[in-house]
Amino acid sequence: MGQRLGVLDVGLGQGTQALRLARAGHNVTGLESDPEMAAAFREALDAEPEGIRERVRVVEGDGRDTGAHFPPGAFDIVLCHGVLMYVTEPDPMLAGMARVLAPGGLLSLVVRNADALAMRPGLAGDFDAALAAFDSPDYTNRLGLKARADRLEALTATLTGIGAPLHTWYGVRVFTDQAADDEAP
């Protein structure tokens, strides 16, 4: 086995990534603000072998308050996948995550791309919504929740400003999200 890393999963949710990383031998802390999601994850964790359970810790709290929960440099990797879109002002949360990242560590973000927001309504033939998507990073997701997207240029500037410069960017789910729910991918 390679090096055992300390991982923080901000917005733990169902804990898919946390469990995968714990099974791979890493020490994982999940930070979750929704008590029901944290409870559901703990239930799933209880079904895991003891060796995996002992490598996972769940902390109930908000990702915007990482500094209140963890000391500077506490984690080799910080994951924040599918969370920033629900945060009105992401800069403090990004700064908090960068603060708990060890020197040379990795901050992994999965965000909604504001430059691709017009794709879904455009492909669905909703041209009014597609045109509106060019003017605003705000949208309503499939669950009916208000959310916002990030533009690469602004996110890159923020990350550089907090000492967590962007190393690699991938465009994911721009086209693969577009199929109707009843169609095969």
Side-chain angles (χ1 to χ4, degrees):
M1 180 170 95
Q3 180 183 4
R4 183 172 286 182
L5 300 173
V7 180
L8 174 62
D9 188 351
V10 176
L12 176 66
Q14 297 173 333
T16 304
Q17 298 161 132
L19 286 175
R20 188 172 291 146
L21 289 164
R23 289 174 187 143
H26 303 292
N27 295 315
V28 181
T29 299
L31 181 62
E32 178 56 57
S33 63
D34 183 336
E36 289 180 20
M37 292 298 288
F41 175 72
R42 284 185 180 104
E43 187 176 314
L45 183 61
D46 286 344
E48 294 290 326
E50 182 179 344
I52 292 169
R53 288 193 316 265
E54 67 189 19
R55 286 193 293 273
V56 179
R57 184 176 124 204
V58 179
V59 175
E60 288 188 38
D62 194 299
R64 292 171 284 198
D65 299 325
T66 53
H69 300 290
F70 312 108
F75 298 98
D76 302 300
I77 298 173
V78 176
L79 307 176
C80 184
H81 295 178
V83 175
L84 282 182
M85 60 199 49
Y86 301 109
V87 177
T88 305
E89 178 50 53
D91 292 4
M93 185 169 176
L94 289 167
M97 289 186 293
R99 181 183 168 280
V100 300
L101 194 60
L106 173 72
L107 173 60
S108 176
L109 304 172
V110 176
V111 301
R112 179 68 68 174
N113 181 351
D115 294 319
L117 281 181
M119 287 300 299
R120 179 177 287 143
L123 290 173
D126 185 352
F127 300 115
D128 290 335
L131 286 172
F134 287 112
D135 296 326
S136 174
D138 299 323
Y139 66 98
T140 301
N141 69 13
R142 288 181 177 179
L143 301 173
L145 300 173
K146 297 287 185 188
R148 47 163 283 292
D150 291 285
R151 297 199 187 283
L152 178 59
E153 184 178 318
L155 189 57
T156 299
T158 298
L159 292 171
T160 300
I162 61 173
L166 180 70
H167 291 287
T168 308
W169 175 86
Y170 300 96
V172 297
R173 294 179 58 179
V174 173
F175 295 100
T176 57
D177 264 4
Q178 308 313 320
D181 291 335
D182 57 350
E183 292 179 24

